Amino acid sequence: QVQLVESGGGLVQAGGSLRLSCAVSLRTFSSYTMGWFRQAPGKEREFVAAISWSGSNTYYADSVKGRFTTSRDNAKNTLYLQMNSLEPEDTAVYYCAAGRGSAYYSNTQYLYWGQGTQVTVSS
């Protein structure tokens, strides 16, 4: 059974911070590229951030670069997304995902998805 579970979402004011976690049940967690995506009401799911299997390479959408940081702890099978300087435009359901494709920015390249955690940023 493959399972990804996000946690850490909530309601914050603009300028605040949250840290999301994603607990992954994959035995070979360290061999997967891990990604974060988000989906706001009425919008398509969009890429937020990704991290390579070793953690050496990270990738960010332009909209979050400089504010968000993703990291992973392979020993704990856990993925993190530190979100600082949050803006109302960041309001969305955030999903973590695991995949093996090279197109880290595309949701079509990920094999497994979590159920999502809600992040709401008030102005």
Side-chain angles (χ1 to χ4, degrees):
Q1 179 73 31
V2 176
Q3 188 172 10
L4 285 68
V5 181
E6 302 94 338
S7 62
L11 173 64
V12 299
Q13 292 185 330
S17 298
L18 285 173
R19 187 174 78 157
L20 305 184
S21 299
C22 175
V24 183
S25 67
L26 289 165
R27 173 181 290 182
T28 57
F29 173 70
S30 62
S31 69
Y32 286 85
T33 294
M34 298 297 301
W36 289 99
F37 291 78
R38 66 187 183 187
Q39 188 166 20
K43 299 180 65 177
E44 297 292 325
R45 189 170 298 183
E46 65 175 348
F47 169 75
V48 176
I51 186 167
S52 63
W53 67 270
S54 67
S56 297
N57 299 308
T58 55
Y59 312 90
Y60 299 95
D62 289 342
S63 59
V64 306
K65 191 173 298 183
R67 299 188 297 120
F68 291 10
T69 303
T70 190
S71 60
R72 66 192 295 165
D73 187 336
N74 289 344
K76 296 181 178 179
N77 280 27
T78 303
L79 175 73
Y80 302 98
L81 183 67
Q82 178 66 47
M83 305 186 294
N84 298 326
S85 301
L86 284 163
E87 305 167 353
E89 292 74 19
D90 297 317
T91 295
V93 176
Y94 283 71
Y95 301 87
C96 64
R100 295 183 183 273
S102 59
Y104 59 86
Y105 53 85
S106 175
N107 58 17
T108 65
Q109 302 302 305
Y110 290 85
L111 301 174
Y112 309 108
W113 293 82
Q115 300 247 350
T117 186
Q118 177 71 49
V119 172
T120 303
V121 184
S122 62
S123 60

